[in-house]
Amino acid sequence: SRMKVSQKLPFLGYLCLVWEFMMHSLVFPSISKAIPDFFPKRSGDLQLGLEHGRFAVGDLCSDERLSGVRTINAGPDDPNWRAVFQLAVVKSRFKDCCVVMGAPKNLVTSLQAKFSVPFDIIGHEIDGTELKTRVEKILVVPEASGHALAYQEALKEEVLVISIGFGTVEVGAADDTGVIASSLKSFDRGMAVCAEHVMTDLMGMGAAATVRDGGLHFWDDLVRDVHDGRARDLPKSTARGVVPFNEVHTVVHENLRSHSAELVTLLRAHLKTLRHRKFSLILTGGGLLYTPVKQALERMAEEDNYDLVESTKENRLRSAALGFRSIGREYFPDKNVVALDLGNHTTVAYYVPQGSESQ
């Protein structure tokens, strides 16, 4: 049975508003670009001088027509990923803090190992103001645990969250005791797999091997454009002419359908191990922007008798960071906490001051 968010889930959106009032936060697209100088007429929130250079992030990159770089799950060794992470943390204006952030379950251990705490982040704003934050501890948790905790706290019942991302598909569940460890699962079958298959098929038809910063993001953009009805011809590599839109359209939609079917097969096999529990099912992640993916998962929920809770775009955007906020409240009750969801498409940071654990 499908239940609309207005019927079943009004509270998460309300929590977002309440917590937004209680805490500072920062939300921006997860792109960054090194810049030689600040843009004096643009928002200071989205540009900062760091120890490894000046950077613009988020909407400022598109406003200034910069070729912003998306670095999915790269970690602190990558200068662009580090810029997004450091800006999101130091803009808290905390003198010291603990960071709770998410990663695909299969990358949690490796990402945690890349940080050596404590360390200082030093930034300079447009007006010369120095920002300095000491990161005392970092806790990296499975991304799906954040989603699951946020929705469980809102619904007050057992929830199972499936997040269809670009790189991975993440699954996690929670009940009133917290995250259910056996439910956590990561599949390397995000929408990048669909983009890669589209690339292979179209290059086999003679399309030029277009490469941009971020690699498969060019082909992911192509899939999105075609799905949304925007015509895209592709230039051929060895001769004049193009791969016409109708052929591009066919390739994209065939791959979306086959990828959707593969996702259902994978997820059903995992969910069977949890059938002894009665979950409400919540779907999230950028993959839901694709109608074939969304419809396939909704059919799975209906055929397998899950109560499907339909969430809003705003809830899907913020739920992981709100869940990380809850984890931070538990693990670091006497510290300033930055709850950080550094996602492939959007970065969300909540800044929780020391002593606000009762909020």
Side-chain angles (χ1 to χ4, degrees):
S1 60
R2 298 180 187 176
M3 289 164 280
K4 298 292 185 182
V5 63
S6 58
Q7 296 172 314
K8 191 73 179 288
L9 188 53
F11 198 43
L12 184 57
Y14 171 68
L15 283 179
C16 286
L17 293 175
V18 171
W19 289 345
E20 186 85 10
F21 175 74
M22 291 179 173
M23 299 178 292
H24 296 299
S25 67
L26 190 61
V27 180
F28 58 90
S30 300
I31 54 177
S32 60
K33 184 71 174 178
I35 53 176
D37 296 296
F38 288 127
F39 296 101
K41 297 182 180 180
R42 296 293 189 180
S43 168
D45 285 340
L46 298 179
Q47 50 187 326
L48 197 67
L50 297 165
E51 290 179 302
H52 64 297
R54 292 190 186 91
F55 283 84
V57 304
D59 291 326
L60 182 58
C61 292
S62 53
D63 291 344
E64 291 295 330
R65 301 185 182 277
L66 306 174
S67 54
V69 180
R70 240 180 246 283
T71 53
I72 180 171
N73 299 325
D77 295 336
D78 181 278
N80 287 91
W81 189 98
R82 192 160 73 249
V84 171
F85 172 85
Q86 291 186 349
L87 183 144
V89 172
V90 81
K91 286 289 186 177
S92 68
R93 300 182 185 273
F94 292 146
K95 289 184 178 180
D96 51 70
C97 72
C98 298
V99 177
V100 180
M101 63 184 301
K105 182 177 182 292
N106 57 1
L107 297 178
V108 166
T109 302
S110 61
L111 181 58
Q112 182 81 58
K114 291 181 179 180
F115 293 101
S116 179
V117 291
F119 61 88
D120 293 329
I121 300 173
I122 301 172
H124 292 87
E125 297 190 294
I126 297 176
D127 62 3
T129 301
E130 181 181 273
L131 302 179
K132 183 176 180 180
T133 299
R134 165 152 285 212
V135 177
E136 296 182 339
K137 294 182 181 179
I138 290 182
L139 178 62
V140 183
V141 299
E143 174 194 324
S145 64
H147 292 298
L149 282 174
Y151 283 108
Q152 194 285 324
E153 290 179 4
L155 289 168
K156 306 301 182 186
E157 62 186 55
E158 292 189 359
V159 298
L160 175 68
V161 179
I162 298 172
S163 176
I164 311 296
F166 179 74
T168 63
V169 175
E170 302 295 315
V171 182
D175 59 17
D176 58 5
T177 67
V179 176
I180 300 168
S182 62
S183 71
L184 295 170
K185 187 74 173 179
S186 183
F187 300 98
D188 291 322
R189 308 305 289 177
M191 296 308 298
V193 173
C194 183
E196 186 171 12
H197 288 163
V198 168
M199 175 188 72
T200 301
D201 290 349
L202 289 174
M203 287 177 62
M205 298 165 64
T210 304
V211 176
R212 290 184 180 177
D213 290 336
L216 285 173
H217 285 290
F218 169 81
W219 299 96
D220 185 49
D221 290 343
L222 172 73
V223 172
R224 179 78 57 81
D225 284 349
V226 173
H227 171 270
D228 293 347
R230 292 185 286 273
R232 291 284 296 268
D233 296 331
L234 285 179
K236 289 191 173 182
S237 57
T238 57
R240 290 185 178 182
V242 296
V243 180
F245 171 68
N246 64 314
E247 295 180 16
V248 175
H249 180 278
T250 298
V251 167
V252 166
H253 283 275
E254 285 180 352
N255 276 286
L256 279 172
R257 283 191 294 271
S258 62
H259 187 66
S260 301
E262 181 184 4
L263 288 178
V264 168
T265 300
L266 284 172
L267 289 167
R268 272 196 167 126
H270 177 55
L271 298 186
K272 280 181 180 179
T273 67
L274 304 169
R275 288 301 287 176
H276 61 288
R277 310 188 70 123
K278 179 63 175 175
F279 294 109
S280 292
L281 181 63
I282 295 146
L283 305 175
T284 188
L288 295 187
L289 295 172
Y290 299 101
T291 301
V293 174
K294 186 172 185 288
Q295 289 180 343
L297 295 176
E298 288 174 343
R299 282 195 303 272
M300 180 191 76
E302 187 171 10
E303 291 168 1
D304 296 354
N305 297 314
Y306 283 99
D307 286 336
L308 181 61
V309 180
E310 295 190 6
S311 189
T312 65
K313 181 179 179 181
E314 187 72 6
N315 285 344
R316 294 196 297 266
L317 177 71
R318 295 176 180 267
S319 58
L322 291 175
F324 301 154
R325 187 262 186 192
S326 297
I327 295 170
R329 180 176 59 187
E330 177 183 352
Y331 278 81
F332 310 116
D334 300 320
K335 301 290 186 179
N336 298 317
V337 171
V338 175
L340 178 61
D341 178 20
L342 205 167
N344 174 54
H345 286 288
T346 307
T347 292
V348 181
Y350 280 104
Y351 306 131
V352 190
Q354 178 180 349
S356 61
E357 66 271 13
S358 61
Q359 294 178 359

